[in-house]
């Protein structure tokens, strides 16, 4: 029987569009300590502690730290100390920390910043511990981009925290080195956890669910540094099927709902001992920036001149002019993960999901490789260039090689070419 996929897709899209939208509406009774706390931030001496009282506190402008060392900001607990920036009129971030050393934030919540809830730049040693970042009300593109947002930092620890509602990434680290993201709960964001252009990153022990995409490891062009040496292990990543609600024009808008993990144009990545289950598009996708280019060219709905908020990246069509950027993933090693996928319809709000349904039918792969290869993928003796070697040492998986470079002509489910082991430093 010949299936009319157009009618089927329209029917399923109707079902998806009728699903209810979620909202986060905690009870709040605000008090005013803005003047007093702003002064404490400005006048804080090195090696001191700023104690935050119990209560819900409303601010109309950012709280800033600059040039401080060995400082701790401590609340009375996630549910007891809440700093809200709802209706903020001055500044884009809730907390903004720049050019500092050894700063610790612990035991409080930051909500509803106009942009990012907590942004940290050019800081050596930043720890977030037992914190929550969130946006209240409906979960949509009007929410800020990032919950935790350290960028260009050295020595980042994000542990035992909670993040929800970000229109880009709940837990993000960008252009940084020596990063640990562990034992966090991350949900209802577009990207749950995102490591972008960062070195020496460990992501483990996290609970990641109900985002559009679970854990993303990206390298994007045109930035100050490029990431490598990333280990993702012992995470519980499940049911990340939320409809993408990113700002139009953002590159994270190309993440299809139902993506457990995506490794994009990054090298030296090891993924092991994770539980990855319940994703309607795929468990793990290993893709090149060339695939993003193709998706961008197919996107008739993208804005011509997207006016994106600060920090949100769009597709960079000029990526080939960056001599330090390699758009292809390489030295990837997947092993000892547990996959469990009972979904059978991919995300039909994305071109990727529609393509998977048409080309692959009602099957959800555990691992997808886009099959877009660099010119030097093979060396002279015909073996794979070590720079681009991908090893998949997994048992009983549903594998899909897209062969997107050749219009899917060579698409297949045979993973024998990737059965190998390798050492990732």
């Amino acid at each position: 029987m010949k299936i009319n996929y157009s009618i089927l897709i329209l029917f399923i899209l109707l079902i998806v569009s009728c699903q209810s939208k979620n909202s986060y509406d905690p009870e709040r009774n605000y008090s005013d300590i803005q003047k007093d706390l702003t002064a404490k931030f400005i006048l804080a001496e090195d090696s001191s502690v700023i104690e935050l009282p119990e209560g819900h506190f409303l601010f109309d402008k950012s709280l800033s730290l600059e040039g401080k060392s060995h400082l701790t900001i401590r609340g009375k607990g996630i549910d007891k100390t809440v700093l809200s920036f709802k209706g903020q009129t001055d500044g884009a971030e809730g907390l903004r920390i720049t050019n500092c050393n050894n700063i610790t934030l612990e035991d409080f919540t930051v909500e509803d910043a106009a942009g990012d809830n907590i942004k940290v730049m050019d800081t050596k040693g930043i720890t977030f511990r037992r914190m929550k970042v969130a946006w209240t009300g409906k979960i949509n593109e009007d929410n800020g981009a990032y919950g935790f947002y350290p960028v260009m930092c050295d020595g980042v620890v994000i542990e035992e925290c909670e993040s929800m509602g970000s229109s880009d990434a709940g837990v993000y680290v960008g252009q940084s080195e020596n990063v640990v993201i562990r034992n966090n709960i991350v949900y209802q964001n577009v990207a749950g956890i995102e490591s972008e252009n960062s070195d020496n990153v460990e992501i483990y022990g996290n609970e990641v669910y109900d985002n559009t995409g679970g854990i993303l490891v990206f390298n994007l062009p045109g930035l100050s540094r490029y990431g490598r040496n990333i280990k993702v292990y012992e995470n519980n990543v499940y049911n990340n099927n939320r409809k993408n609600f990113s700002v139009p024009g953002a590159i994270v808008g190309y993440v299809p709902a139902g993506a457990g993990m995506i490794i994009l144009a990054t090298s030296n990545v090891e993924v092991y001992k994770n539980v990855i289950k319940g994703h309607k598009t795929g468990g793990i996708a290993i893709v090149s920036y060339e695939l993003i280019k193709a998706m961008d060219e197919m996107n008739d709905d993208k804005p011509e001149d997207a006016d994106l908020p600060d920090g949100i990246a769009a597709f960079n069509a000029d990526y080939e002019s960056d001599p330090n950027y390699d758009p292809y993933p390489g030295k990837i090693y997947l092993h000892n993960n547990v996959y469990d996928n009972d979904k059978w319809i991919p995300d039909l709000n994305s071109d990727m999901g529609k393509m998977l349904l048409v080309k692959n039918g009602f099957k959800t792969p555990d691992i997808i490789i886009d099959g877009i290869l660099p010119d030097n993928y093979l060396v002279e003796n015909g073996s794979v260039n070590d720079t681009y070697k991908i090893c998949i040492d997994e048992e009983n998986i549903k594998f899909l090689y897209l062969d997107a470079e050749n219009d899917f002509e060579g698409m297949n489910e045979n993973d024998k070419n990737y059965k190998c082991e390798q050492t990732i430093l």
Side-chain angles (χ1 to χ4, degrees):
M1 179 179 69
K2 185 176 181 179
I3 297 174
N4 188 323
Y5 282 106
S6 297
I7 294 176
L8 178 62
I9 288 171
L10 286 173
F11 174 72
I12 296 170
L13 281 173
L14 178 62
I15 296 174
V16 171
S17 67
C18 291
Q19 292 178 344
S20 60
K21 296 180 179 179
N22 291 330
S23 183
Y24 173 57
D25 301 292
E27 184 176 346
R28 296 286 183 253
N29 296 293
Y30 296 117
S31 301
D32 183 7
I33 60 169
Q34 178 165 293
K35 185 176 180 179
D36 177 58
L37 191 56
T38 300
K40 286 184 177 179
F41 271 58
I42 295 172
L43 300 175
E45 295 183 356
D46 291 346
S47 304
S48 65
V49 177
I50 297 177
E51 296 281 359
L52 304 176
E54 181 173 343
H56 306 155
F57 307 105
L58 193 61
F59 300 82
D60 63 13
K61 58 186 176 183
S62 302
L63 290 168
S64 299
L65 282 180
E66 183 167 5
K68 307 292 185 183
S69 295
H70 305 286
L71 192 69
T72 296
I73 302 173
R74 180 183 297 144
K76 301 301 183 185
I78 279 179
D79 297 323
K80 295 181 177 178
T81 301
V82 178
L83 310 185
S84 172
F85 295 82
K86 197 177 188 67
Q88 182 176 10
T89 58
D90 187 358
E93 302 86 10
L95 269 58
R96 180 181 175 88
I97 298 170
T98 54
N99 299 312
C100 291
N101 292 288
N102 299 318
I103 304 297
T104 298
L105 310 178
E106 60 188 17
D107 296 313
F108 63 98
T109 290
V110 177
E111 292 178 350
D112 291 329
D116 313 311
N117 267 328
I118 306 176
K119 184 174 184 178
V120 183
M121 297 181 64
D122 297 307
T123 289
K124 187 170 185 177
I126 174 71
T127 297
F128 307 88
R129 181 179 298 124
R130 296 185 301 274
M131 295 193 65
K132 181 175 180 177
V133 289
W135 277 268
T136 62
K138 288 186 177 179
I139 299 169
N140 58 33
E141 68 180 66
D142 294 332
N143 290 357
Y146 301 103
F148 297 102
Y149 184 29
V151 61
M152 293 184 285
C153 294
D154 180 0
V156 177
V157 176
I158 304 173
E159 61 183 4
E160 300 176 44
C161 293
E162 184 174 342
S163 180
M164 60 84 59
S166 304
S167 63
D168 198 302
V171 175
Y172 169 95
V173 59
Q175 301 173 76
S176 297
E177 59 184 337
N178 304 317
V179 176
V180 173
I181 300 171
R182 62 188 172 201
N183 303 329
N184 302 288
I185 302 173
V186 187
Y187 56 97
Q188 296 177 344
N189 308 281
V190 174
I193 296 173
E194 185 174 336
S195 172
E196 183 180 290
N197 294 54
S198 294
D199 284 333
N200 301 325
V201 179
E202 291 193 57
I203 302 170
Y204 63 92
N206 300 284
E207 195 87 6
V208 184
Y209 63 94
D210 195 17
N211 306 282
T212 302
I215 297 177
L216 280 52
V217 178
F218 278 17
N219 259 354
L220 301 181
L223 298 177
S224 62
R225 65 184 309 148
Y226 297 96
R228 56 191 292 116
N229 300 338
I230 295 146
K231 294 182 182 292
V232 183
Y233 58 97
E234 297 177 355
N235 299 284
N236 194 10
V237 184
Y238 57 97
N239 296 337
N240 291 286
N241 298 310
R242 177 168 289 272
K243 182 180 178 181
N244 195 314
F245 59 97
S246 66
V247 176
I251 193 168
V252 76
Y254 290 117
V255 175
M261 296 187 191
I262 298 177
I263 300 169
L264 167 66
T266 308
S267 64
N268 288 55
V269 181
E270 186 173 12
V271 179
Y272 59 100
K273 296 184 178 178
N274 300 281
V275 175
I276 304 162
K277 62 182 182 181
H279 298 103
K280 61 185 181 182
T281 298
I284 300 177
I286 302 170
V287 300
S288 68
Y289 202 72
E290 299 284 352
L291 183 68
I292 307 302
K293 175 185 177 183
M295 295 170 69
D296 189 76
E297 290 173 346
M298 292 168 55
N299 184 5
D300 296 329
D301 297 327
K302 65 183 177 185
E304 287 296 324
D305 296 304
D307 184 18
L308 296 175
D310 183 40
I312 295 183
F315 170 71
N316 183 349
D318 193 34
Y319 66 98
E320 291 178 319
S321 68
D322 183 344
N324 298 315
Y325 183 65
D326 190 338
Y328 304 97
K331 291 193 75 67
I332 311 295
Y333 186 24
L334 313 182
H335 63 97
N336 298 102
N337 296 291
V338 174
Y339 303 88
D340 183 6
N341 254 331
D342 58 358
K343 308 296 183 185
W344 52 282
I345 301 174
D347 171 36
L348 300 181
N349 291 296
S350 70
D351 289 334
M352 175 61 73
K354 296 171 188 173
M355 183 280 299
L356 284 173
L357 180 62
V358 172
K359 300 290 185 181
N360 196 44
F362 298 103
K363 295 180 290 186
T364 303
D366 296 317
I367 298 173
I368 305 171
I369 294 179
D370 69 357
I372 302 177
L373 308 174
D375 292 339
N376 60 341
Y377 180 69
L378 300 178
V379 295
E380 287 187 1
N381 64 7
S383 62
V384 175
N385 185 335
D386 281 346
T387 300
Y388 300 109
K389 191 173 183 180
I390 297 174
C391 287
I392 302 174
D393 188 15
E394 309 276 34
E395 300 295 333
N396 302 317
I397 60 167
K398 291 176 284 187
F399 174 80
L400 184 64
Y401 178 84
L402 288 178
D403 196 25
E405 187 173 26
N406 298 302
D407 198 23
F408 311 103
E409 289 185 2
M411 191 170 77
N412 66 79
E413 299 178 349
N414 191 339
D415 64 347
K416 68 177 183 180
N417 291 333
Y418 298 96
K419 285 289 186 184
C420 55
E421 300 177 4
Q422 63 178 331
T423 300
I424 306 295
L425 298 177

mmCIF file of all heavy atoms in Angstrom, residues 20 57 152 168 232 234 280 343 359 397 404:
data_model
loop_
_atom_site.group_PDB
_atom_site.id
_atom_site.type_symbol
_atom_site.label_atom_id
_atom_site.label_comp_id
_atom_site.label_asym_id
_atom_site.label_seq_id
_atom_site.Cartn_x
_atom_site.Cartn_y
_atom_site.Cartn_z
ATOM 1 N N SER A 20 -1.081 20.874 25.072
ATOM 2 C CA SER A 20 -1.101 22.010 25.974
ATOM 3 C C SER A 20 0.297 22.553 26.209
ATOM 4 O O SER A 20 1.270 21.825 26.127
ATOM 5 C CB SER A 20 -1.717 21.576 27.305
ATOM 6 O OG SER A 20 -0.950 20.541 27.886
ATOM 7 N N PHE A 57 12.767 38.619 46.571
ATOM 8 C CA PHE A 57 13.209 40.002 46.411
ATOM 9 C C PHE A 57 13.193 40.401 44.936
ATOM 10 O O PHE A 57 13.686 39.660 44.080
ATOM 11 C CB PHE A 57 14.608 40.168 46.999
ATOM 12 C CG PHE A 57 14.700 39.677 48.417
ATOM 13 C CD1 PHE A 57 15.331 38.469 48.708
ATOM 14 C CD2 PHE A 57 14.126 40.399 49.450
ATOM 15 C CE1 PHE A 57 15.391 37.995 50.009
ATOM 16 C CE2 PHE A 57 14.188 39.928 50.762
ATOM 17 C CZ PHE A 57 14.822 38.727 51.042
ATOM 18 N N MET A 152 34.102 32.484 28.383
ATOM 19 C CA MET A 152 35.513 32.888 28.436
ATOM 20 C C MET A 152 36.036 32.836 29.878
ATOM 21 O O MET A 152 36.627 33.785 30.389
ATOM 22 C CB MET A 152 35.692 34.282 27.821
ATOM 23 C CG MET A 152 35.425 34.287 26.327
ATOM 24 S SD MET A 152 35.731 35.850 25.495
ATOM 25 C CE MET A 152 34.305 36.785 26.014
ATOM 26 N N ASP A 168 17.351 29.276 25.092
ATOM 27 C CA ASP A 168 18.518 28.680 24.427
ATOM 28 C C ASP A 168 18.989 27.499 25.266
ATOM 29 O O ASP A 168 18.530 26.392 25.065
ATOM 30 C CB ASP A 168 19.629 29.715 24.201
ATOM 31 C CG ASP A 168 20.635 29.255 23.154
ATOM 32 O OD1 ASP A 168 21.239 28.175 23.356
ATOM 33 O OD2 ASP A 168 20.845 29.926 22.127
ATOM 34 N N VAL A 232 31.329 12.951 28.402
ATOM 35 C CA VAL A 232 29.918 12.995 28.816
ATOM 36 C C VAL A 232 29.578 11.601 29.337
ATOM 37 O O VAL A 232 29.527 10.645 28.552
ATOM 38 C CB VAL A 232 29.010 13.366 27.631
ATOM 39 C CG1 VAL A 232 27.558 13.479 28.096
ATOM 40 C CG2 VAL A 232 29.467 14.677 26.976
ATOM 41 N N GLU A 234 27.631 8.939 32.533
ATOM 42 C CA GLU A 234 26.775 8.643 33.697
ATOM 43 C C GLU A 234 25.660 9.674 33.881
ATOM 44 O O GLU A 234 25.291 10.025 35.010
ATOM 45 C CB GLU A 234 27.627 8.515 34.962
ATOM 46 C CG GLU A 234 28.612 7.344 34.878
ATOM 47 C CD GLU A 234 29.526 7.219 36.085
ATOM 48 O OE1 GLU A 234 29.478 8.101 36.958
ATOM 49 O OE2 GLU A 234 30.285 6.243 36.137
ATOM 50 N N LYS A 280 12.137 11.033 20.402
ATOM 51 C CA LYS A 280 11.395 10.709 19.191
ATOM 52 C C LYS A 280 12.170 10.947 17.900
ATOM 53 O O LYS A 280 11.753 10.459 16.845
ATOM 54 C CB LYS A 280 10.081 11.482 19.160
ATOM 55 C CG LYS A 280 10.212 12.998 19.152
ATOM 56 C CD LYS A 280 8.819 13.616 19.247
ATOM 57 C CE LYS A 280 8.878 15.130 19.229
ATOM 58 N NZ LYS A 280 7.537 15.727 19.362
ATOM 59 N N LYS A 343 9.756 5.420 20.830
ATOM 60 C CA LYS A 343 9.065 6.390 19.976
ATOM 61 C C LYS A 343 9.129 5.923 18.520
ATOM 62 O O LYS A 343 10.061 5.234 18.109
ATOM 63 C CB LYS A 343 9.699 7.770 20.113
ATOM 64 C CG LYS A 343 9.837 8.274 21.548
ATOM 65 C CD LYS A 343 8.507 8.481 22.211
ATOM 66 C CE LYS A 343 8.687 9.046 23.622
ATOM 67 N NZ LYS A 343 7.427 9.162 24.352
ATOM 68 N N LYS A 359 12.359 9.295 4.836
ATOM 69 C CA LYS A 359 13.450 8.419 4.400
ATOM 70 C C LYS A 359 13.571 7.149 5.236
ATOM 71 O O LYS A 359 13.995 6.100 4.718
ATOM 72 C CB LYS A 359 14.788 9.177 4.468
ATOM 73 C CG LYS A 359 14.857 10.423 3.593
ATOM 74 C CD LYS A 359 14.900 10.063 2.119
ATOM 75 C CE LYS A 359 15.096 11.307 1.258
ATOM 76 N NZ LYS A 359 15.116 10.982 -0.194
ATOM 77 N N ILE A 397 22.102 -1.799 18.937
ATOM 78 C CA ILE A 397 21.592 -0.445 18.740
ATOM 79 C C ILE A 397 20.901 -0.324 17.386
ATOM 80 O O ILE A 397 21.131 -1.118 16.474
ATOM 81 C CB ILE A 397 22.729 0.599 18.823
ATOM 82 C CG1 ILE A 397 23.796 0.327 17.731
ATOM 83 C CG2 ILE A 397 23.319 0.629 20.206
ATOM 84 C CD1 ILE A 397 24.758 1.458 17.530
ATOM 85 N N ALA A 404 23.921 12.131 3.954
ATOM 86 C CA ALA A 404 23.297 13.395 3.555
ATOM 87 C C ALA A 404 24.078 14.087 2.445
ATOM 88 O O ALA A 404 23.521 14.857 1.663
ATOM 89 C CB ALA A 404 23.182 14.309 4.775
#
